[in-house]
Amino acid sequence: MTDAGIRRLLICAAWLALIVIAITTVAPIYDRPTFGHARIERLVAFMALGAMFAWSYPNRLLFSVLIVSCGAFGLEALQLITPDRHARLLDAFVKLAGGWSGLGFGHLTMSFMRAGRLRLGSQGDG
C-alpha cells in the first residue's frame, strides 16, 4: 500500500473513531459499552483519537488540536440533551488530557519515523 493509501485509511479511521466516540457518548447509559473504569475509558479513547488525528494530519497540528479539544468539550456538553446522562467538567478535562497526550504521542512517533527515513535514505547516497 502506498503512503497516500495509508494516509487515506488513517483519515477514515480517525473520523470513524470520532463518530464511534460521539455515539457512545450520547447513547443511553445502558447501551454504552464498558471495559473498565469510566475515566480510564475516556482517557484511552481520546488518546487513541488524538494519535489517529496526529498521524492523519501530521502537518496540521492546530486543526488536530481543535478537533480533539472541541470533541472533548462538545461531546461532554451533548450529554446535557440526554435524560440519563450527565455532563461534568472533570470528564471533559480527562478527555482533553487523553486527546492531547495522544496528539503528542502521534506527533512524536511521526518525528521519529521522519528522522529514520531521512537517516536511511541518506546512507545510500554516499
Side-chain angles (χ1 to χ4, degrees):
M1 184 177 278
T2 65
D3 285 347
I6 292 170
R7 184 158 183 260
R8 278 193 290 267
L9 186 63
L10 284 169
I11 289 170
C12 290
W15 287 103
L16 182 62
L18 183 59
I19 291 168
V20 168
I21 290 171
I23 290 169
T24 58
T25 298
V26 298
I29 195 73
Y30 53 83
D31 286 339
R32 188 179 76 78
T34 57
F35 300 101
H37 192 277
R39 286 211 177 103
I40 301 296
E41 289 174 355
R42 290 180 195 109
L43 185 76
V44 171
F46 271 82
M47 284 176 81
L49 182 70
M52 283 192 273
F53 269 93
W55 294 327
S56 299
Y57 301 99
N59 299 319
R60 298 181 65 191
L61 179 60
L62 182 60
F63 172 76
S64 298
V65 168
L66 285 173
I67 293 294
V68 170
S69 301
C70 290
F73 285 100
L75 292 175
E76 194 63 31
L78 278 176
Q79 289 186 359
L80 294 171
I81 64 171
T82 60
D84 65 334
R85 301 300 295 264
H86 56 274
R88 292 194 174 128
L89 197 54
L90 177 61
D91 294 345
F93 280 115
V94 168
K95 292 174 182 177
L96 186 67
W100 285 5
S101 297
L103 284 167
F105 172 77
H107 279 281
L108 184 64
T109 57
M110 291 297 288
S111 296
F112 285 138
M113 288 175 63
R114 284 187 193 128
R117 281 187 186 162
L118 290 175
R119 198 171 38 251
L120 290 174
S122 64
Q123 288 178 352
D125 294 339

